Each structure stands twice: as C-alpha cells, then as structure tokens.
Amino acid sequence: MIDNPSLVEQQLKKNGYLKTPLEKGIHLPSAIQALKKEKNAVLLAHYYQEPEIQELADFLGDSLYLAKKAAEVEADIIVFAGVHFMAETAKIINPTKKVLLPDLKAGCSLADSCPPGDFSEFKKLHPEAVVVTYINCSAEIKALSDIVCTSSNAVQVIESIPKDREIIFAPDKNLGKYLIKETGRPMILWEGACIVHEAFSFDKIIALAKADPEAQFIAHPESESPVLEIAQYIGSTAGLLRYVQEDSSQTYIVATEAGILHEMQKKCPDKKFIPAPVEDDTCACSECAFMKLNTLEKLYNCMVHELPEIHLNKTLIEKARKPIERMLNLGTT
Ligand code: 13P
Ligand code: SF4
C-alpha cells in the first residue's frame, strides 16, 4: 500500500487507478474471490466487461438489472466492473455503501457528450418539457432530469409520460430517434452518441447478411437509424441475450459491444455469434475502450486498497436519486 495520501491522490488523478506490484505467482481470480469474502464485497459486472471479469461477478447484467441489484446490496462494498456512470448510479441509490470502480477513467462517450452547463441552458429553451435522460449520463445530468431510463425500459418510461407533455430526451440521439418511432411521441433530442454503436458499417452488415442468409441481424438501439432499420430484433443487452435464447435461428450478427458475445455463447453453445462489422478495419471498434480499461489486475488492486472510490456530495446524491427512483418505481423489467 502507498502510505502517503497525497501520492495516492496524485496516482489516481494521473492513471485513474493505483499501480502497485503484484505478488509473484498470484492467481488473480482466486485472490479476487477471497477478497470478496474477506471484505464483504459484492461484484457487479456489465456484459461488456472482459470474459474473465464477467466470470467472477456476483451479478452480471445490463444497466437496468445492475442498477436494481445495486439498490438491494446489503454488503459493505460494491465493486462495479463497468463504467463511471454505472458506479455513480450505484452510489446514488445506495449511498451508505463504499462503491469502488477499478479504473476511474472508465468513462462513456455518451455521458461525455452532455456537459451539465450546456444541458442546463438547453433545458431553459424548453421550460415546460419533461426531461427524460438515458442512464448513460453523469450524476449532474441525472440531477437535472425528471426521470431516468435504460435501453431495457425506455419505451415504458416514455409511455408513462402524459400525452400532452413535451419531452426532452438526452443524451443519445440514436436511442431518441428509435423511441420517437416506437412510441409515436415527438421529442426534443440532445445530439449525443455512443462511439461504439456509431462505428458499425451498414454496407458491411448487408454484405455479411447476404453471404449468410440464414443469419439473423440483431442490434442495440444505440445504433444509427439505417442499421436499426435492417435489424430483425432491437433490444438492450439483456433483450438481445434473451432473444437469442428464445429464437430458433442458428447464427446471429450482433450489433452491440462485442463483450456480450461471451454470455451469448455460454447460454447457447451450439449457436454462432458474429460481431457486426465496423467501418474501420484497423480498430477493435466494436469493443468499448472505456469498458475495457477494467482489467483483472486493476480489479484486484482496487479491492486490496479499496480505491478508487466513488465520492459524490450529499446534495447531488439527493437530487440525482429522485429521477432514478421514479424509474425504479415504475417496476419495469
Ligand atoms: P444496456 O446494458 O442497458 O443495454 O446498455 C448498453 C450500454 O451501452 C451500456 O453502456
Ligand atoms: Fe458508453 Fe458506448 Fe461504451 Fe456503453 S458502449 S459505455 S454507451 S461508450
């Protein structure tokens, strides 16, 4: 452990995590399991995490499932293997717990696309509108919202709003456009997007589907409209996972972050899953670089040192909790 608190502070600021050497010969998965017991900690992991992290999770799921589980945790520590807004959400809905994130720099392009100052000005242009925000946003944006949604329950959340009310939807314009189509409700959209879901290539997906006509094309609603228009099923990560288990096809082209393929393959060992092709052949663009900042080593170190920890001030927690609770109280699945 680094004894000097200001050195710790400096390292966390610079790297987003603490760099300390590992004991020789350590088996990280067993060491992490032991730490969970020793520290009375619960590990929540999103489907976009590396498979070895998913395998260690006490709860593995999509954003909605993980938010619900975070609210129920009775253990002392919540370790969130996901991105910053997810760990923040856990802290907001269960504020007495210590919430840890293996790498503080695990952010999100959607959350980054919506700075609170700009959003506050945008809201002033539509003072009568109900503000619905996708959970992929900062605590400050949640505090400026009336109700939060995830991709699993967004349609139900929009449908819960009286028909005569104007709606602002932020920050994802792609999910927003999809929701306008699904619900028939006009909405004022914030122009944010997910770098991973915008990277898919429409032309290459078409070519792949032509080469394998039996393959079903399925997509996450953060994808762009032309991609969604050719999808045979659109859903959240949990929705996509459910679909491939219930559907009778053998092959799927999957347009979402490639981490979900691990659980799909586990649930359906005899089926074939192909990550949807991206525009740029030189990058691993169907992987979220933010999600993939978390590694087994960082997860282990974060549990040993109980750092980095998510801190939020009390007033912000109180303001941001209300729109999350409104969503949870709708009882959506
Ligand atoms: P869901 O897990 O809610 O489908 O969201 C996907 C996502 O992009 C999380 O960042
Ligand atoms: Fe954010 Fe997109 Fe990564 Fe999800 S996949 S965390 S929306 S950048």
Side-chain angles (χ1 to χ4, degrees):
M1 180 64 179
I2 309 167
D3 295 326
N4 183 338
S6 74
L7 263 181
V8 167
E9 194 72 13
Q10 264 176 35
Q11 267 219 31
L12 288 179
K13 213 168 169 194
K14 182 164 163 255
N15 306 319
Y17 60 96
L18 279 185
K19 274 188 182 173
T20 48
L22 291 176
E23 300 106 84
K24 247 196 174 152
I26 188 168
H27 181 252
L28 286 172
S30 319
I32 291 166
Q33 294 289 28
L35 279 169
K36 284 200 289 185
K37 271 202 186 139
E38 183 193 318
K39 303 215 168 198
N40 192 23
V42 167
L43 176 61
L44 306 186
H46 190 268
Y47 290 127
Y48 294 167
Q49 291 295 284
E50 295 289 2
E52 61 265 32
I53 294 182
Q54 295 189 37
E55 290 298 319
L56 289 170
D58 298 298
F59 299 101
L60 171 69
D62 72 345
S63 326
L64 179 61
Y65 175 80
L66 294 174
K68 286 181 181 168
K69 285 294 160 198
E72 290 166 7
V73 166
E74 286 181 1
D76 300 321
I77 299 179
I78 298 173
V79 187
F80 214 117
V83 289
H84 194 271
F85 76 80
M86 294 178 172
E88 249 186 11
T89 305
K91 183 71 188 173
I92 294 165
I93 49 184
N94 208 339
T96 61
K97 306 300 170 193
K98 182 178 263 191
V99 178
L100 307 175
L101 178 68
D103 189 328
L104 278 181
K105 295 202 171 165
C108 168
S109 68
L110 264 173
D112 292 347
S113 73
C114 199
D118 297 352
F119 189 63
S120 191
E121 291 304 310
F122 181 73
K123 259 186 74 172
K124 283 185 196 149
L125 301 173
H126 312 281
E128 301 302 323
V130 176
V131 178
V132 183
T133 51
Y134 189 33
I135 198 162
N136 299 37
C137 64
S138 65
E140 289 80 3
I141 296 296
K142 288 183 176 82
L144 291 166
S145 313
D146 293 304
I147 186 162
V148 164
C149 71
T150 76
S151 49
S152 269
N153 63 14
V155 169
Q156 290 154 287
V157 168
I158 300 297
E159 284 174 346
S160 75
I161 298 166
K163 290 235 167 9
D164 58 339
R165 296 295 305 274
E166 199 178 26
I167 300 172
I168 288 178
F169 185 82
D172 189 1
K173 63 174 179 191
N174 293 317
L175 177 60
K177 283 182 202 162
Y178 167 73
L179 291 170
I180 291 174
K181 211 169 145 210
E182 281 299 293
T183 63
R185 295 290 296 271
M187 297 198 291
I188 304 152
L189 302 182
W190 181 264
E191 286 284 311
C194 160
I195 40 168
V196 178
H197 290 85
E198 284 218 316
F200 296 119
S201 162
F202 176 80
D203 291 342
K204 288 183 193 170
I205 293 168
I206 296 272
L208 197 58
K210 268 195 188 145
D212 191 347
E214 299 298 314
Q216 286 244 352
F217 173 58
I218 59 175
H220 193 281
E222 286 175 20
S223 310
E224 292 179 304
S225 305
V227 167
L228 293 180
E229 267 157 35
I230 54 167
Q232 276 129 324
Y233 174 79
I234 299 168
S236 65
T237 48
L240 295 170
L241 187 61
R242 203 166 34 241
Y243 182 76
V244 299
Q245 292 173 82
E246 290 168 359
D247 179 68
S248 60
S249 308
Q250 281 307 302
T251 308
Y252 299 86
I253 302 165
V254 185
T256 193
E257 211 272 358
I260 186 72
L261 269 63
H262 174 70
E263 190 63 12
M264 285 180 170
Q265 203 66 74
K266 254 178 90 175
K267 290 273 188 316
C268 310
D270 300 326
K271 294 192 176 189
K272 186 176 166 192
F273 300 100
I274 308 166
V278 292
E279 208 60 68
D280 179 355
D281 294 324
T282 63
C283 75
C285 306
S286 67
E287 296 204 341
C288 173
F290 299 111
M291 285 276 181
K292 264 48 182 193
L293 281 177
N294 296 326
T295 61
L296 270 190
E297 186 175 334
K298 288 181 196 169
L299 176 58
Y300 169 76
N301 270 330
C302 120
M303 293 181 74
V304 169
H305 303 296
E306 300 184 17
L307 284 169
E309 185 184 348
I310 301 292
H311 292 285
L312 293 172
N313 78 53
K314 231 175 143 199
T315 320
L316 182 57
I317 289 182
E318 270 157 28
K319 281 190 184 156
R321 189 162 58 214
K322 287 189 188 116
I324 302 173
E325 278 177 351
R326 274 188 204 115
M327 168 186 82
L328 294 176
N329 290 341
L330 281 181
T332 58
T333 48

